[in-house]
Amino acid sequence: MKRYRDKNGKLIKRLSEIEKLTAAEAATYYRVGGIYYSFVDFREYVYTATSDGLAEFRSFDGYTMFIPVAALGTFLPDVASAGMELVAVQA
C-alpha cells in the first residue's frame, strides 16, 4: 500500500504537504550519479545534475527528464501513483 493514500488509493494529504514530508527521504534516495528506472516510459535514467531547483535525469538512449527537486519525494516507490514511480536500480 502506498503512503499518504486511503484504502482506495486516493491521496489523503495535499501534494504540497507530501512534498515537504518526503523531502529529506528523497534527498537521501535520489543521488546524482544514481540510476533509476522510470515506470512512466520503462527506461533507466541517470540522475545527472541539479540546477535551478530541477533534478535532471538522462536515459541511456537520449531522453531527458526534469523534475522539481521539491517534488522528488512524490516519485518515491511507496509514495508515487502507480506507474509514476522512479525506482533506484543503482544508487
Side-chain angles (χ1 to χ4, degrees), residues 11-90:
L11 289 175
I12 57 172
K13 295 189 180 289
R14 292 178 185 256
L15 197 53
S16 60
E17 187 176 353
I18 294 170
E19 289 174 355
K20 291 175 188 171
L21 292 169
T22 59
E25 184 180 352
T28 300
Y29 188 83
Y30 296 109
R31 309 292 286 185
V32 172
I35 300 172
Y36 301 89
Y37 184 79
S38 170
F39 282 86
V40 171
D41 60 6
F42 310 107
R43 287 184 170 84
E44 287 185 350
Y45 287 83
V46 177
Y47 186 173
T48 57
T50 300
S51 179
D52 296 324
L54 294 175
E56 180 180 336
F57 294 83
R58 292 190 182 209
S59 72
F60 294 100
D61 59 350
Y63 288 82
T64 303
M65 176 171 45
F66 294 96
I67 299 173
V69 171
L72 279 175
T74 65
F75 290 88
L76 290 166
D78 65 339
V79 176
S81 296
M84 297 299 292
E85 302 93 336
L86 196 54
V87 178
V89 173
Q90 177 187 349

